[in-house]
Amino acid sequence: MLNKVRRFIAFEHLLQADRLYLVALSGGADSVCLLLCLKELGYRIEAVHCNFHLRGEESQRDEQYCQELCVRENIPLHKAHFDTKTYAAQHKVSIEMAARSLRYRYFFQLKETLAADAVCTGHHKEDSVETILINLVRGTGLNGLMGIRPRKGGVVRPLLCVTRQEIEQYLRSRSVSFVTDSTNLVDDVVRNKIRLNILPQLAEINPSVNDAVLTAANHLSEVDAIVRDSLNMALDKAVRPIGSTGPGNSFYPLEHTFKIDLKVVRHFPSPAYLLFHILKPLGFTPSQIAEVTAHLEGQPGQVWASSTHELTHDRDSLLVMPVVAEKPRELVIPETGRYVYDDGLSIRLTKENRSPASSPSFSRNPAIVDLDASSIRFPLTLRRTAEGDRFMPLGMSGTQLVSDFLTNLKRNRFEKRSQLVLLDASGVILWLLGLRISECFKVSSHTTSCLHIELL
């Protein structure tokens, strides 16, 4: 068995001879076997034991056993005690999830403190089979049917190549005892039900059921490699970061927006699968992703939101942007001067005398405008556009809804929502920032004083 573990570690590139590793030690057969195997193979290890205070005297017995084992084997031991029931109640999670959260949080904190390379756990073949069956019952995707992985994040599992029987045989051959968690013998949780009831029945159909399930998982791992290669090629074509799309509108908060090309998505063999891999890491739920997929041929404009991102359907793309902190609803400008709207945008207003005889001129910079000051009443207001906003675009004789004006410019929903407008004291829009001033406030040959406005 030791040679099997040695070969597995080398094949999966799990451990390095010159690094420090933490071994999660419960006192059970799996963790004790892992501790002794790694020591026998010459790795530098320290043990970590967590007492969750869930089993009374049995919890104390386990801690005492781990302490005596580490003293006998001359292996440093780190111990942690947790009030698991209180944690579970406070965070509204199961005892099992609470213990897992507390355990791994402590493991990774200790790993950083000791500059260890990884945390080693004693998962073996049967654990992987149980995990596959649990995920299958829960309706998992492909990833959940591949079993426990040898390495995930900062956790490595060197015993996944051996069975529980091989582990116990290894310990017997070295006359090493271990403790048994009595809760593992009661079919009160899903994993125990599968271990104690389901797997024995499956073994009656196929005595080699564990090997059969793991063989299927290996085949799925090969399929996953093919799928991921196809996904990566599709992702390269489908996902494109975009900045602000308005001409010169660097003040749009869209620098981190990206778009998903729906032509690529529709041509992928499984559009839903491609969208799942793009959107799931951004916090969108499977039901939301299913809605997005069903909406691909629908009318643009609908918005979906996760805790961190928003998504909208815009013509032949899906636009995704991070949720940004709400900006001030409005900024009141009582007189000329410089004013800060947010960390990324400020506005400066100055009044300048002008010769009436001179011809009107217009800046080519969309962040700079000149307006006829004689027709403008302070205080001014800078805010985002609101539903029902109307203005008279330069060159037109009638008013138009701001939303229609932006639609004609093919602005997407995020851009429409982010568009800023500047109004005078009577609530009349002077300027759609970066896009168009109002015909009512343009500089003419009769203008003697102009209001010069710059976005900074």
Side-chain angles (χ1 to χ4, degrees):
M1 194 206 77
L2 198 63
N3 285 330
K4 188 182 291 187
V5 173
R6 179 189 287 112
R7 289 193 299 270
F8 184 72
I9 290 172
F11 181 78
E12 297 289 348
H13 307 288
L14 297 182
L15 308 175
Q16 299 182 46
D18 59 341
R19 303 289 179 85
L20 171 66
Y21 296 95
L22 301 180
V23 177
L25 180 65
S26 66
D30 312 336
S31 64
V32 173
C33 175
L34 175 64
L35 187 79
L36 298 181
C37 275
L38 295 186
K39 179 188 176 184
E40 196 168 346
L41 290 172
Y43 291 103
R44 188 160 61 97
I45 57 174
E46 296 185 14
V48 189
H49 177 75
C50 297
N51 189 334
F52 298 105
H53 293 279
L54 294 173
R55 294 177 287 119
E57 292 183 2
E58 203 172 272
S59 292
Q60 299 306 116
R61 176 208 66 185
D62 294 355
E63 180 179 333
Q64 183 65 28
Y65 170 84
C66 292
Q67 190 164 314
E68 292 173 357
L69 174 66
C70 289
V71 169
R72 187 168 68 247
E73 297 294 334
N74 195 28
I75 296 172
L77 173 65
H78 305 271
K79 298 184 294 181
H81 291 251
F82 300 108
D83 185 352
T84 313
K85 290 181 179 178
T86 299
Y87 180 92
Q90 290 176 344
H91 291 81
K92 295 181 174 56
V93 296
S94 67
I95 293 293
E96 185 180 20
M97 288 303 298
R100 176 183 173 82
S101 177
L102 291 167
R103 176 170 62 246
Y104 280 101
R105 181 186 301 174
Y106 174 62
F107 287 167
F108 289 126
Q109 288 174 345
L110 188 62
K111 172 179 172 291
E112 293 300 317
T113 301
L114 299 177
D117 195 63
V119 177
C120 304
T121 64
H123 294 92
H124 50 77
K125 280 187 174 183
E126 283 89 340
D127 289 323
S128 190
V129 171
E130 292 163 12
T131 298
I132 292 169
L133 295 179
I134 289 171
N135 290 337
L136 181 63
V137 170
R138 289 174 177 168
T140 186
L142 180 60
N143 190 57
L145 295 177
M146 295 188 295
I148 301 174
R149 310 314 296 160
R151 175 186 292 277
K152 186 174 182 180
V155 179
V156 296
R157 304 174 177 94
L159 298 187
L160 280 177
C161 59
V162 298
T163 65
R164 170 78 181 198
Q165 183 179 0
E166 289 175 297
I167 286 171
E168 293 185 0
Q169 185 177 347
Y170 170 86
L171 295 176
R172 283 196 299 270
S173 69
R174 285 155 177 76
S175 301
V176 176
S177 62
F178 54 88
V179 297
T180 300
D181 183 344
S182 61
T183 61
N184 289 335
L185 305 177
V186 182
D187 61 350
D188 58 345
V189 295
V190 174
R191 185 173 291 274
N192 286 1
K193 291 179 187 293
I194 289 175
R195 178 188 301 132
L196 300 175
N197 302 326
I198 305 301
L199 280 171
Q201 292 185 43
L202 291 176
E204 293 178 6
I205 300 172
N206 180 1
S208 301
V209 62
N210 288 332
D211 289 336
V213 171
L214 292 175
T215 298
N218 287 334
H219 292 328
L220 290 175
S221 295
E222 295 170 1
V223 171
D224 182 65
I226 298 171
V227 171
R228 287 189 178 277
D229 185 62
S230 178
L231 275 174
N232 289 334
M233 288 191 292
L235 288 172
D236 286 342
K237 297 177 182 177
V239 179
R240 286 287 180 271
I242 56 175
S244 56
T245 56
N249 290 359
S250 59
F251 45 88
Y252 270 141
L254 299 175
E255 287 78 10
H256 302 292
T257 304
F258 67 88
K259 70 177 180 179
I260 303 169
D261 189 335
L262 292 184
K263 292 180 182 177
V264 177
V265 173
R266 293 187 187 105
H267 281 88
F268 193 72
S270 173
Y273 200 73
L274 178 57
L275 286 177
F276 181 86
H277 280 268
I278 298 173
L279 300 178
K280 183 67 165 62
L282 304 179
F284 291 95
T285 65
S287 60
Q288 285 178 311
I289 297 170
E291 281 185 25
V292 174
T293 305
H295 191 79
L296 291 183
E297 306 302 330
Q299 289 296 317
Q302 186 166 340
V303 174
W304 295 265
S306 72
S307 59
T308 59
H309 288 76
E310 290 181 294
L311 176 150
T312 187
H313 184 183
D314 180 60
R315 293 183 290 278
D316 213 29
S317 297
L318 295 175
L319 301 180
V320 184
M321 71 177 295
V323 173
V324 294
E326 187 63 31
K327 297 184 184 296
R329 296 189 64 183
E330 61 179 37
L331 171 67
V332 176
I333 303 172
E335 58 187 7
T336 56
R338 178 168 177 169
Y339 299 85
V340 176
Y341 179 72
D342 62 37
D343 291 339
L345 177 69
S346 61
I347 185 169
R348 182 166 60 201
L349 303 91
T350 56
K351 279 189 178 180
E352 300 175 356
N353 292 327
R354 180 180 179 278
S355 171
S358 59
S359 301
S361 62
F362 301 97
S363 170
R364 293 188 178 184
N365 185 338
I368 299 175
V369 296
D370 289 310
L371 304 176
D372 188 334
S374 64
S375 55
I376 297 174
R377 292 194 298 118
F378 281 83
L380 308 185
T381 301
L382 177 64
R383 63 164 171 80
R384 290 184 180 182
T385 184
E387 187 176 354
D389 277 347
R390 303 185 72 91
F391 86 124
M392 185 182 294
L394 180 66
M396 293 182 62
S397 58
T399 64
Q400 184 179 23
L401 283 169
V402 170
S403 59
D404 289 344
F405 181 83
L406 295 174
T407 297
N408 292 338
L409 291 180
K410 297 185 178 180
R411 294 296 188 259
N412 63 60
R413 186 157 181 163
F414 293 152
E415 290 171 315
K416 290 179 180 179
R417 186 180 63 189
S418 301
Q419 178 64 49
L420 297 174
V421 292
L422 183 67
L423 306 88
D424 77 348
S426 61
V428 177
I429 293 177
L430 310 174
W431 181 28
L432 256 64
L433 274 67
L435 296 178
R436 192 76 61 89
I437 63 171
S438 169
E439 173 73 18
C440 304
F441 302 96
K442 70 179 181 180
V443 173
S444 71
S445 58
H446 303 292
T447 301
T448 59
S449 175
C450 66
L451 182 65
H452 181 77
I453 308 175
E454 293 180 76
L455 297 177
L456 306 170

